[in-house]
Amino acid sequence: MVSRVESSGAMLLRGRNGSARPDKWLSQRYQTIRRMTERLAAPLSPEDCLVQSMPEASPVKWHLAHTSWFFETFVLQPHAPGYKVFHPSFSYLFNSYYNAVGDRVPRPRRGLMSRPGLDEVHAYRSSVDQAMGAYLDAKGDGLPQAVADVIELGINHEQQHQELILTDIKHALAQNPLYPAYRDDLATSANGVEVQAMEWLRVLGRLSWIGHGVPGFAFDNEGPRHQVYLDDFQIGSRLVTCGEFLEFINQGGYDRPELWLSDGWNQSQSQGWKAPLYWEQIEDAWWLRTMTGFRPIDEAEPVCHVSFYEADAFARWSNARLPTEAEWELAVAEQPLEGNFLDTGCLHPRADGPCDGLRQGFGDVWEWTRSPYTPYPGSQPISGALGEYNAKFMCNQMVLRGGSCATPASHIRATYRNFFSPETRWQFAGLRLAKDS
Amino acid sequence: MVSRVESSGAMLLRGRNGSARPDKWLSQRYQTIRRMTERLAAPLSPEDCLVQSMPEASPVKWHLAHTSWFFETFVLQPHAPGYKVFHPSFSYLFNSYYNAVGDRVPRPRRGLMSRPGLDEVHAYRSSVDQAMGAYLDAKGDGLPQAVADVIELGINHEQQHQELILTDIKHALAQNPLYPAYRDDLATSANGVEVQAMEWLRVLGRLSWIGHGVPGFAFDNEGPRHQVYLDDFQIGSRLVTCGEFLEFINQGGYDRPELWLSDGWNQSQSQGWKAPLYWEQIEDAWWLRTMTGFRPIDEAEPVCHVSFYEADAFARWSNARLPTEAEWELAVAEQPLEGNFLDTGCLHPRADGPCDGLRQGFGDVWEWTRSPYTPYPGSQPISGALGEYNAKFMCNQMVLRGGSCATPASHIRATYRNFFSPETRWQFAGLRLAKDS
Amino acid sequence: MVSRVESSGAMLLRGRNGSARPDKWLSQRYQTIRRMTERLAAPLSPEDCLVQSMPEASPVKWHLAHTSWFFETFVLQPHAPGYKVFHPSFSYLFNSYYNAVGDRVPRPRRGLMSRPGLDEVHAYRSSVDQAMGAYLDAKGDGLPQAVADVIELGINHEQQHQELILTDIKHALAQNPLYPAYRDDLATSANGVEVQAMEWLRVLGRLSWIGHGVPGFAFDNEGPRHQVYLDDFQIGSRLVTCGEFLEFINQGGYDRPELWLSDGWNQSQSQGWKAPLYWEQIEDAWWLRTMTGFRPIDEAEPVCHVSFYEADAFARWSNARLPTEAEWELAVAEQPLEGNFLDTGCLHPRADGPCDGLRQGFGDVWEWTRSPYTPYPGSQPISGALGEYNAKFMCNQMVLRGGSCATPASHIRATYRNFFSPETRWQFAGLRLAKDS
Amino acid sequence: MVSRVESSGAMLLRGRNGSARPDKWLSQRYQTIRRMTERLAAPLSPEDCLVQSMPEASPVKWHLAHTSWFFETFVLQPHAPGYKVFHPSFSYLFNSYYNAVGDRVPRPRRGLMSRPGLDEVHAYRSSVDQAMGAYLDAKGDGLPQAVADVIELGINHEQQHQELILTDIKHALAQNPLYPAYRDDLATSANGVEVQAMEWLRVLGRLSWIGHGVPGFAFDNEGPRHQVYLDDFQIGSRLVTCGEFLEFINQGGYDRPELWLSDGWNQSQSQGWKAPLYWEQIEDAWWLRTMTGFRPIDEAEPVCHVSFYEADAFARWSNARLPTEAEWELAVAEQPLEGNFLDTGCLHPRADGPCDGLRQGFGDVWEWTRSPYTPYPGSQPISGALGEYNAKFMCNQMVLRGGSCATPASHIRATYRNFFSPETRWQFAGLRLAKDS
């Protein structure tokens, strides 16, 4: 179990709040995060790094380059005197969606870019890192706060792409009939614990504050901190397990339209969904593709790789519902920021053992909420290109909370709002139940 | 201006609350609504009534039949002793989306059903009406409350289809290069008033109650009445006008991605949107298809037939935003339920003259809110087939409020929640601005 | 059995070759054909006449108008002094594919045109007929040959649309769950005969002449008459029957890729073909939608409504092949021009009884050949808009020969080349086998 | 200019006809062809070899593996005693379209297979080559003729994939905004010659023999040799040049529907064609992507990368037509089998200088004919899986003749029939004009 207090995230807070030189802290954190990205790509061949298995996913090589492009475009070009771009076409190749920055390769065509090769992309990374190092050294503690903020945003942006590297390569390798593993040497997710019955934890409704309101980095979509009124509710003590989801399958959950949202039913029927993504039925047993290869499901593990529609249908079948994001945030408010994150190195959700109170609030799987992704009251997007970061996606998306086994521990917060469209299945997403009191 | 107090809606309240025999009231109301539906179809030829101009729309004939199917399926078959269905295939032909009731003609194929002919559908209506009349007479004041509730739901359901008849036929006729009008003899929407500058009305935030909580009919999605916390906000005194929207167009509103939600920008680009639906530029002037034919736009009129995406982009361009549905409900709480509804007979939004306070809250155009359509806290869908009425659409839809010039006056309430997907343009939908205080 | 010698087609030849006044003959023939078109539409309601069941088909009303548009555009407007068009928009509405004539309603949207109504289209027809009559009267025997040729083309064009009216309305009504019939009072296709074993007729190969080369009307694609060299071949004495095709189905014909062309296999799999169009399996029996309604298949009847792909696969399964169009033309060269055409009034293929030699060469079903539709050596398209009639479709189409039960008897010839894309199934098309000697 | 007499193709004929041991000849030829394939892939990175730029193209790595799979499946597995497959899944991964051999990775997903990596595919090639060598050595001159025939087919099959490797990688690299070249060191295609006026060569029509009828390898679609009757015709002395095609563009050729087949016009409009594939207009000049990079067009070069539709429209604009395949074969009958093939090493068509008679009949560009791809009279497909080689594609394809600058010299013959669907543009295809006499 990795506690966020012990992780580099803590440095962030110390750096920003404490007495040490913040510029040194930022520089060190930059290096740490950049190296981590490369470690994630290390087990992969140049060919693996090129595959784009669907328009929603990106090649690993693209992630490696795009995260560098971010620093080049938003830090080095505007702020580092005399900086020369590494390659004049990379702005076109590795822009993601920032309309304000100019044209870009259409997303579904990223997998066609065999050039620049992986080597050249690594050279690009090095070059950007060197220039960033030189820039930060030169500025020292004279680094303007506005630039420091952009760098911190870039670091957090890169962490988001770390998770995407893992989800995208999992999906890419899953297309391969050879059942390749991402790595063979990962920590096992099996921990031998016996799953405990879920308990309903009662939370008293009240006028509550949610959203980010303390010092330290947060994305613009997490604020401003504001009041919401909540009625009493109950929330599940742990995540829904594979065993419970299997029961839903066995009782015809995928064949009963009355359990589904209308859009979800249409999606499920047109895609032929019969189980979560990566599940495969072989004779009477259910198997699973994981980052370490193909193996039988473990009923004690949290169910993962379900869409919002499946999570919602499961909840209805359970005579329950998903929590709202405000309920979720209130419920975990007192929880320590620890869990099965990327840093545990098993890259798979794990069963949880006996314990009092709310469990698995952070890590393992992102938890679908019933809340559409909308702006908080009083929020204002950042102006300029970085204003495109979050706000423009606030439509047709659902909020997920809590981070997953592919999220860096130092990246997550109780106020963190992840979001995906409701049919999304390739993220490490599962669910926790809630109901009215 | 039609006041709801003077309309049949008032009868509904009197019926349910007052001393007169409620069964008589219900029977009379049933007849009134059914006749209105037929009046709306009367100007149309059998061929007009068959056209389905897109999968989202339905032929008028289908609306005529489906609303009858509702009473046959949910009242006559289960409750009227000895009732024989008019035609054994009509359940298949005229079911809309109720999975619980069985199979149905796929929605995009409704326009292929030349049989039954319009005459036979009118015969179907008569037959159902006769059976309903006989049933209500036979029951008298012994009508079970549960059945009365279903009938009242059917009446309100039919009123919803009255509006759809108008929006769908408007769209169907608009596909025709001959520019046919729905009717030539409608009341003019031009009222000669000069549009007044919009004022910002300030509303004090507080913990407020919203949702339906008084006697009388409401849809299940309007309750339960519950508390929400709102910050202070400001809301526009009137609807956004065509003239204001034209300014948005002229200043490049449709070409500036930074004004748009990401999904909205993609939609707008792929569809080639350059103006609201039904606008057409001829040389330098903008013309408009209306229910009475083709004519130049009137800048004083409320803008209509915009999608949520366009409304949202316009608001951003205005340095404002759309109201949430709770803000809207709070803002109109004290307004009289009157406005330019279907009952005024002009079937087009109208300019508003000088007046203090909030104007055009009801009627003219549905107002897009920034609120996704979600269940209210504590809500429970009705069980059985009628439970499919509202709840299963609570995803990827935005709430609209206030009714339009095609909404029956007796159908609307301050708590009424309409909903459509954000790209929808063929409904009579416009917008009102809001902003933080 | 209708002999072409007794039909109006004979008049055509007499008119052109004989001593009577050809202008009178043309005028009379014009009237006869126009009335026939209206007779075909007579059993249909205005709603039936509007349905367009797929982009490849057209509404009956469109056929009624388009055939009139042909005479208005190519005869009246250029040649009749002072002619005023019936309606200025009809050129746009009822142009089919003539790019040279201007824009047109996109084909898949023809079914949306509820206006002009069927009544107005009939008025359009009358008006054109009146103007044509007046024009022909005024010209008398001074009618320029070039105009007479266009009128004769228009008459033949209208006959093609007569067949399309029948195939398109059959398809439209077949979408309807009520199983409506086109007419209830058609001549029965059942003739009680017992189907005879097919015999292989041997034809000696030689350098032969094919194509149109005698006086009388023919389409430009039928000439010039030219030599082709053919090896010896054998051809089936009669059409393939439903019983034989059922055997193909029962022996897994639709599930064996080795029997199919690659494109055919992909089409068949993606469309889920399991039998000819309009066949439906109910328990163990096969039923069929016909112009008179739904009934069991008759094994003795020629199989109909198969695509080229199915015909080709059936032939391969039979250790045979389809004939080339030259082989077909050589084989029927000595046959009388008689058969089960539109004029017999049963609108369905019929079983054939015992008889020597080649049977069913004309009528019943169009016969798929293995010949792609290509220009004959030395052919030159007509210049101007009418040059778009045939030549521009000479790609990705296969030739069919012999006419069907929906073809007017006076319309067909041994040299007549019909053509459709190989996946087409809604035409009355079947097959006859051939093989090498 | 490479003469086929000097190339390895000559060995084929000597081997089969001469006195030397044919088994040695076959073994040597096998090695030669296999090495050539690897030489073609040598300039490419592993990432380049993975890209699949459209469903019709395949990754180079797939070509490398699939050609080995052919020998493994059709030679080693059935005939080499004790042969063990290299990898049990490769049959699934690298089968192309042989339904008889079993399932396969869907074609559009070939580009997702990052595993096996390029190294492993090269190991696969080596392993198959070793086993083939051992098998051929062991058999010596006891090699059964049936097996020798399959090996020879496999060699020719591999040569076809050599051309596809070049066309597919050209297309893949052309998607890249960096304009990468396949190689920088290719022989220049510029030869400084001045293009000569095209002359019309007259060919006397007669009853002629076409198709393969001499000893030596040919594909099954080239026979049997048979008679066709041809009228007199004229044929262009050389290929159509870029300069001539530019004139077609400048005179509005892409905007005049009357020049196009109907399918061609629709395709051209929907794809926005304005010039041949790989042409790009920069200000007033036309540039071209070639295997050596981006450069201005050379008006003297043969036009290349046009579809059949464009070739056909150009011919119509020229008051000419394309030749039939029989005309083409008759016209080149006396020509030596030499030209600008793969073996010249410039991988681009070249301008031709002054010379009498028909020029450029072989090499430079495949020449579109007006002949749909159909079976020759009397042809019988090979039975078994190899019977799927050619016959099942005989629908919706047009024949091309003569080979291109990417065709191995030893692979082509006067009777060789290449075929592609009429919209195909990524092959090295151009045209020669013909007309009636």
Side-chain angles (χ1 to χ4, degrees), chain B residues 127-141:
Chain B
S127 164
V128 166
D129 288 349
Q130 206 161 9
M132 284 290 293
Y135 172 72
L136 287 169
D137 282 354
K139 285 290 170 189
D141 55 7

Side-chain angles (χ1 to χ4, degrees), chain C residues 327-350:
Chain C
E327 288 171 343
W328 188 93
E329 192 169 326
L330 193 58
V332 305
E334 309 299 316
Q335 299 293 319
L337 244 173
E338 56 188 32
N340 174 20
F341 294 120
L342 168 58
D343 316 60
T344 61
C346 67
L347 303 184
H348 199 79
R350 294 195 302 204

Side-chain angles (χ1 to χ4, degrees), chain A residues 46-48 50-53 61 87 89 92-93 105 109 112-118 173 175-178 180-181, chain D residues 46-48 50-53 61 87 89 92-93 109 112-118 173 175-178 180-181:
Chain A
E47 291 148 286
D48 292 336
L50 180 59
V51 176
Q52 180 177 30
S53 54
K61 185 170 72 178
H87 190 296
S89 293
Y92 177 79
L93 285 170
V105 170
R109 300 178 72 77
L112 304 183
M113 301 299 113
S114 61
R115 319 273 179 98
L118 184 58
L173 295 175
Q175 309 311 307
N176 197 308
L178 302 179
Chain D
E47 290 147 287
D48 292 335
L50 180 59
V51 176
Q52 180 176 31
S53 53
K61 186 170 72 179
H87 190 296
S89 293
Y92 177 79
L93 285 170
R109 301 179 71 77
L112 303 183
M113 301 299 113
S114 62
R115 319 272 180 100
L118 184 58
L173 295 175
Q175 309 311 306
N176 197 308
L178 302 179

Side-chain angles (χ1 to χ4, degrees), chain A residues 2-22:
Chain A
V2 169
S3 157
R4 187 173 174 267
V5 181
E6 294 153 20
S7 79
S8 52
M11 292 193 295
L12 168 68
L13 298 178
R14 273 208 303 282
R16 295 187 61 111
N17 305 327
S19 54
R21 294 243 329 254

